Amino acid sequence: MRADRLLSILLLLQSRGKISSRELAQTLEVSERTIFRDMEALSFSGIPVLAERGREGGWKLAEGYRTSLTGMNPKEIAALLLPADPAILRALGIQEEFSSAARKLQAAATRQLVTPFSFLSQRIHIDGAGWHPCGYGRFLSA
């Protein structure tokens, strides 16, 4: 779907900086010509995309441009947040970081997206006991 691809391009440019047409085409599994048409559509819609030519060239967003659009739907947010077992987060020493990230995801989501996560997170418990007999700390030191 073209709208999904345009959103993906925008988020890739925002997160990675400069990306070549070839890399975008491979990542999104389309032709380079499609990428050129998509970049024209983004530009036409007011997104400040810039093209740099040459060996080190590629597409990038104008300096300082950021969108608060996450493009995440309720199932994607739930998939990231639901499996988080508080005991595992505590054992890894990342409970505060997880809580902060969860708040940011919820803040970035529309009100419609927050409600399903709250509903699900209050009703689902994932018990990971016995799954990690070697201890949690080994995963962080690798």
Side-chain angles (χ1 to χ4, degrees):
M1 182 190 244
R2 184 173 185 197
D4 288 340
R5 192 173 60 244
L6 292 174
L7 180 60
S8 293
I9 290 171
L10 177 59
L11 295 174
L12 283 167
L13 290 172
Q14 186 167 294
S15 65
R16 294 188 193 173
K18 188 171 28 175
I19 307 173
S20 70
S21 296
R22 178 177 292 152
E23 185 179 355
L24 281 169
Q26 289 171 347
T27 301
L28 300 172
E29 299 177 350
V30 295
S31 70
E32 286 186 59
R33 180 67 188 132
T34 297
I35 295 298
F36 293 131
R37 285 191 298 264
D38 288 349
M39 295 313 235
E40 185 175 339
L42 284 173
S43 180
F44 184 74
S45 68
I47 306 295
V49 291
L50 305 171
E52 287 187 3
R53 299 197 184 272
R55 183 182 302 248
E56 300 296 320
W59 296 97
K60 67 179 189 174
L61 295 172
E63 190 170 334
Y65 179 82
R66 301 257 331 147
T67 180
S68 60
L69 178 65
T70 64
M72 297 183 77
N73 65 45
K75 288 183 180 180
E76 291 170 330
I77 291 174
L80 289 175
L81 299 178
L82 284 179
D85 181 341
I88 293 173
L89 295 171
R90 267 193 307 278
L92 293 171
I94 59 169
Q95 188 171 16
E96 289 302 316
E97 289 82 356
F98 175 83
S99 295
S100 175
R103 282 191 302 273
K104 289 175 184 176
L105 275 175
Q106 290 174 352
T110 65
R111 183 154 179 75
Q112 295 171 329
L113 298 182
V114 175
T115 304
F117 169 72
S118 299
F119 177 80
L120 291 172
S121 66
Q122 294 170 1
R123 286 162 178 77
I124 295 177
H125 171 74
I126 299 174
D127 184 6
W131 288 11
H132 307 287
C134 61
Y136 303 120
R138 290 184 54 194
F139 295 109
L140 287 180
S141 62

